[in-house]
């Protein structure tokens, strides 16, 4: 018979390892952590089993667990005691993200700290920018507040600024503000390709950032649009972003591949809360093999072109990798 024998390269585990095209390692992982501005709090997020809101005095335990697992990059999201119309808690020097950053740098200076740069967790209306009298988000009036937030985070010791607000011109504004403040060495990891997705629901429970009115479709991207992502990419690259996030990940693997094919900056997939919650729920019901499913999901993101993955599964993945089966 005259046909190709593709199975020759699948005959044993050693053979499969030798010809494997895509690999996942601990250095690819970024671990999100929710920090709350209250004492002695370790609240499990109901829609995200295994993920917690943590007080500063509880944060050291989570950082130690992450570090010992092999994680070397974390992203902080803050839950303040008080909120107001302009999100003051995001940019004050003693804000919760700033405190968490300083603590992390004191305890584990080897861990890279990524600071989520947005206002939604700090505004009393839950939107990512300031509002006019009719409830519309004001793009240009929001930019100076984002600059203040980024500079305050850099002053606190953040290694990477990760703006997630989706205001037009946010990368240019933040780059200029950081440079002027003496932080030209701090890179920007832009969430410039961020879709208005239903997969964010559990995150909004965890970060307490659900909009009080309306939605974010006016500034986040339409899930139906593919070419628009390339326009966002071009703008952010021109404005000075150093790395590009695609969010969410699993339903947008085609976009990750497009970004990889059309840029030479590092590409990051955000494995978002809804993706985590669905996998966890199925696993807890005994419907799937959680470890195998998670690793297959991660490989799909890497295969699509992601260099790094922001994922709530980061600690679990480190333990899976330690077993040597991947």
């Amino acid at each position: 018979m005259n046909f190709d024998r593709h199975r020759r390269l699948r005959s044993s585990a050693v053979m499969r390892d030798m010809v494997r095209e895509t690999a996942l390692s601990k250095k690819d992982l970024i671990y999100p952590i929710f920090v709350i501005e209250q004492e002695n709090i370790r609240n499990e997020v109901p829609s995200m089993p295994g993920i917690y809101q943590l007080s500063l005095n509880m944060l050291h335990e989570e950082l130690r667990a992450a570090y010992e697992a092999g994680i070397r990059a974390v992203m902080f999201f803050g839950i303040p005691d008080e909120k107001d119309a302009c999100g003051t808690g995001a940019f004050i020097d003693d804000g919760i993200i700033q405190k968490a950053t300083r603590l992390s740098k004191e305890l584990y200076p080897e861990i890279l700290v990524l600071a989520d740069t947005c206002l939604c967790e700090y505004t009393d209306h839950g939107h990512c920018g300031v509002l006019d009298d009719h409830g519309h988000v004001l793009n240009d009036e929001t930019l100076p507040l984002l600059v203040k937030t980024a500079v305050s985070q850099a002053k606190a010791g953040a290694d990477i600024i990760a703006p997630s607000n989706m205001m037009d011109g946010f990368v240019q504004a933040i780059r200029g503000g950081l440079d002027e403040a003496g932080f030209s060495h701090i890179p920007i990891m832009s969430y410039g390709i961020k879709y208005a997705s239903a997969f964010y629901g559990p995150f909004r429970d965890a970060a307490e950032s659900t909009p009080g009115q309306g939605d974010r479709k006016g500034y986040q991207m339409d899930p139906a649009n593919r070419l628009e992502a390339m326009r966002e990419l071009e703008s952010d690259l021109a404005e000075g972003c150093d790395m590009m996030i695609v969010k969410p990940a699993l339903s947008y693997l085609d976009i990750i591949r497009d970004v990889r094919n059309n840029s030479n900056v590092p590409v990051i997939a955000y494995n978002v809360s809804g993706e985590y919650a669905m996998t966890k729920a199925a696993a807890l019901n005994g419907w799937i093999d959680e470890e195998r499913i998670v690793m297959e999901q991660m490989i799909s993101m890497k295969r699509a072109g992601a260099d790094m993955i922001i994922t709530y599964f980061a600690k679990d993945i480190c333990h899976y990798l330690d077993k040597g089966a991947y």
Side-chain angles (χ1 to χ4, degrees), residues 42 55 58 76-77 90 128 141 144 176 192-193 202 269 271 296 304 312 322:
R42 192 174 186 269
S55 299
M58 301 285 187
F76 287 133
F77 295 92
C128 301
E141 290 80 355
I193 300 175
N271 179 216
E296 189 170 336
Y312 303 96
D322 284 340

Side-chain angles (χ1 to χ4, degrees), residues 17-51:
D17 286 345
M18 186 174 70
V19 300
R20 183 164 291 141
E21 301 172 25
T22 306
L24 177 71
S25 72
K26 294 181 181 182
K27 66 180 177 60
D28 302 328
L29 304 174
I30 300 167
Y31 181 43
I33 299 176
F34 298 99
V35 189
I36 190 167
E37 202 166 18
Q38 297 176 29
E39 289 295 306
N40 302 314
I41 297 294
R42 192 174 186 269
N43 289 334
E44 187 172 30
V45 181
S47 54
M48 299 178 70
I51 302 299

Side-chain angles (χ1 to χ4, degrees), residues 1-5:
M1 293 185 183
N2 186 22
F3 50 77
D4 293 331
R5 298 283 183 177

Side-chain angles (χ1 to χ4, degrees), residues 221-241:
M221 291 175 56
D222 185 340
N225 291 356
R226 182 176 181 179
L227 295 178
E228 184 184 1
M230 296 303 97
R231 298 198 294 273
E232 291 282 1
L233 172 65
E234 291 168 5
S235 295
D236 283 11
L237 292 175
E239 292 175 18
C241 87

Side-chain angles (χ1 to χ4, degrees), residues 127-324:
H127 279 285
C128 301
V130 293
L131 305 181
D132 65 14
D133 293 338
H134 304 287
H136 300 131
V137 176
L138 298 169
N139 189 97
D140 294 7
E141 290 80 355
T142 297
L143 294 178
L145 301 182
L146 297 172
V147 172
K148 290 176 66 175
T149 301
V151 170
S152 72
Q153 292 169 339
K155 286 181 178 177
D159 298 289
I160 299 172
I161 297 300
S164 60
N165 54 87
M166 286 298 286
M167 298 297 112
D168 290 336
F170 71 96
V171 172
Q172 179 176 300
I174 290 172
R175 182 73 273 158
L178 289 171
D179 291 353
E180 184 177 345
F183 296 106
S184 60
H185 61 289
I186 299 292
I188 295 174
M189 180 186 286
S190 172
Y191 283 78
I193 300 175
K194 180 179 180 180
Y195 285 86
S197 173
F199 285 101
Y200 303 151
F203 174 92
R204 291 171 182 169
D205 293 339
E208 300 180 10
S209 61
T210 303
Q213 56 180 313
D215 54 41
R216 295 173 180 159
K217 293 180 180 178
Y219 47 100
Q220 294 179 357
M221 291 175 56
D222 185 340
N225 291 356
R226 182 176 181 179
L227 295 178
E228 184 184 1
M230 296 303 97
R231 298 198 294 273
E232 291 282 1
L233 172 65
E234 291 168 5
S235 295
D236 283 11
L237 292 175
E239 292 175 18
C241 87
D242 302 281
M243 296 176 271
M244 198 72 183
I245 295 173
V246 177
K247 180 182 180 183
L250 289 174
S251 291
Y252 299 85
L253 296 175
D254 58 324
I255 308 301
I256 295 172
R257 172 46 58 187
D258 285 345
V259 174
R260 174 72 289 148
N261 288 346
N262 288 278
S263 71
N264 58 11
V265 297
V267 179
I268 299 91
Y270 197 142
N271 179 216
V272 298
S273 59
E275 296 166 347
Y276 174 90
M278 290 191 303
T279 301
K280 273 290 184 183
L284 289 171
N285 276 286
W287 297 336
I288 61 171
D289 182 326
E290 180 176 343
E291 178 178 332
R292 292 183 64 192
I293 290 286
V294 168
M295 295 303 287
E296 189 170 336
Q297 290 174 344
M298 298 303 126
I299 287 295
S300 76
M301 297 171 210
K302 291 282 291 182
R303 191 183 63 245
D307 299 290
M308 290 163 274
I309 302 170
I310 303 168
T311 178
Y312 303 96
F313 285 113
K315 288 192 299 181
D316 295 324
I317 293 166
C318 287
H319 298 315
Y320 301 156
L321 291 171
D322 284 340
K323 292 175 6 180

